[in-house]
Amino acid sequence: MSLLHTQFTEWTVKFLGLPGGNFGMYSYMVLIFCLIITLIGLVTVVIFRKNYNSILKIAILFESIYWVFLIISGNNPFLYFTDQQNENLLVIMMYSNSIIVFLLMFLVYIIYSKIISPKK
């Protein structure tokens, strides 16, 4: 999930045509940000091992921590509606990329459940 967030952020920066000097390393910062979230999620899953027994629950945990970190870091998704610049659109895209990554993980969960359920 961390790598998906990083790749989607890289594509978003290229799509918006943001300058490389200011936003060239943005996807790497997102990767570091997501790796920290992954470590926090891993510790949480290890501590509460019995509660996190599916991919979907772990994806919900990751995305909820991701959104909390985005909110804490000061990324206001509604700022674009008052100041329409590509930098502010990037923030909205960060939140929408999160939803896309979660939907991909939900699709993986559905496919995995279909494969495993006949075997049980």
Side-chain angles (χ1 to χ4, degrees), residues 5 8 12 66-67 70 77 89-103:
H5 277 287
F8 285 157
T12 303
Y66 182 82
W67 276 44
L70 279 178
L89 184 59
L90 177 64
V91 175
I92 292 175
M93 296 298 285
M94 295 286 293
Y95 283 93
S96 62
N97 287 345
S98 172
I99 295 168
I100 292 169
V101 169
F102 177 73
L103 291 176

Side-chain angles (χ1 to χ4, degrees), residues 100-116:
I100 292 169
V101 169
F102 177 73
L103 291 176
L104 286 172
M105 288 297 110
F106 183 71
L107 181 65
V108 167
Y109 171 73
I110 296 289
I111 293 170
Y112 180 76
S113 297
K114 297 289 183 186
I115 292 171
I116 294 299

Side-chain angles (χ1 to χ4, degrees), residues 30-96:
V30 169
L31 178 63
I32 292 169
F33 175 69
C34 286
L35 289 176
I36 292 169
I37 293 170
T38 302
L39 289 174
I40 292 170
L42 181 65
V43 168
T44 305
V45 169
V46 168
I47 291 173
F48 302 106
R49 189 173 309 159
K50 294 179 183 176
N51 294 334
Y52 293 99
N53 53 4
S54 71
I55 296 171
L56 186 62
K57 289 181 182 179
I58 295 171
I60 291 171
L61 173 70
F62 183 90
E63 294 300 331
S64 61
I65 295 172
Y66 182 82
W67 276 44
V68 166
F69 270 47
L70 279 178
I71 292 169
I72 289 173
S73 67
N75 288 324
N76 183 1
F78 303 111
L79 188 61
Y80 179 74
F81 300 114
T82 59
D83 185 20
Q84 296 184 351
Q85 296 179 0
N86 283 346
E87 291 85 6
N88 296 332
L89 184 59
L90 177 64
V91 175
I92 292 175
M93 296 298 285
M94 295 286 293
Y95 283 93
S96 62

